[in-house]
Amino acid sequence: MNNEQQGNAYLNPYLAGFLLGLTLLTSFLVLGTGLGASGGLARLAAWCGLCINPEQILNSEYFGAWGEQPLKYYLVFMLAGILLGGFVSAVVNRRVRIQTERGASYSAWKRLALALLGGIIAGFASRLARGCTSGMALTGTALLTTGGVAFLLATFAGGYLTAYMFRRQWHD
């Protein structure tokens, strides 16, 4: 594939990390709080629930505390910005294409099913832990919290272990 077909080169990871750090710093300076994403998704779920059965959502111990306008929260706008920014970046760098990344031994449906299952587990766990990887790893580590550092180390250890266990699906 030539560069025209595969899109532009990726941003240098060191520069990307530095820019992410500046984004986190800006979030602290402007909003007085760090980064996160799962809170935005939970509030989007509450809004969807309000459209279907508002009485049940408003009486819910979990969703009810957010009231009748759960989308009026900074994490909702941060999540929208992440999605929009990622899409604009993909369009500008010619990386928009419909495809399923997978190894030859996995069908697209099996890969999508596993991705959905993993997303559901990660989403449930992030709400159970009251924070996602953005909140725990980035914000928690930036604040030098014990939980943030432990989470970051566990995430990398778990990622390397999982990659080792499932590496054959990508090398066939």
Side-chain angles (χ1 to χ4, degrees), residues 66-99:
W66 299 332
E68 294 182 7
Q69 297 179 336
L71 297 182
K72 286 190 174 184
Y73 189 61
Y74 81 100
L75 287 179
V76 174
F77 295 99
M78 190 179 297
L79 179 64
I82 290 168
L83 294 173
L84 181 62
F87 180 72
V88 168
S89 174
V91 168
V92 167
N93 289 293
R94 297 185 312 274
R95 294 192 181 279
V96 177
R97 57 181 98 39
I98 297 173
Q99 64 184 27

Side-chain angles (χ1 to χ4, degrees), residues 8-108:
N8 294 329
Y10 288 105
L11 186 62
N12 179 302
Y14 298 109
L15 177 59
F18 177 75
L19 293 173
L20 182 58
L22 288 180
T23 303
L24 180 59
L25 177 62
T26 303
S27 178
F28 276 118
L29 293 175
V30 173
L31 299 172
T33 188
L35 299 174
S38 63
L41 287 172
R43 285 175 176 264
L44 183 60
W47 178 79
C48 290
L50 284 171
C51 293
I52 297 167
N53 190 346
E55 185 178 325
Q56 182 178 3
I57 296 299
L58 291 173
N59 292 329
S60 164
E61 187 176 331
Y62 184 76
F63 292 127
W66 299 332
E68 294 182 7
Q69 297 179 336
L71 297 182
K72 286 190 174 184
Y73 189 61
Y74 81 100
L75 287 179
V76 174
F77 295 99
M78 190 179 297
L79 179 64
I82 290 168
L83 294 173
L84 181 62
F87 180 72
V88 168
S89 174
V91 168
V92 167
N93 289 293
R94 297 185 312 274
R95 294 192 181 279
V96 177
R97 57 181 98 39
I98 297 173
Q99 64 184 27
T100 303
E101 296 286 339
R102 61 186 178 84
S105 65
Y106 269 57
S107 69

Side-chain angles (χ1 to χ4, degrees), residues 151-165:
F151 176 80
L152 187 64
L153 293 173
T155 299
F156 275 96
Y160 278 110
L161 178 64
T162 302
Y164 178 78
M165 290 171 37

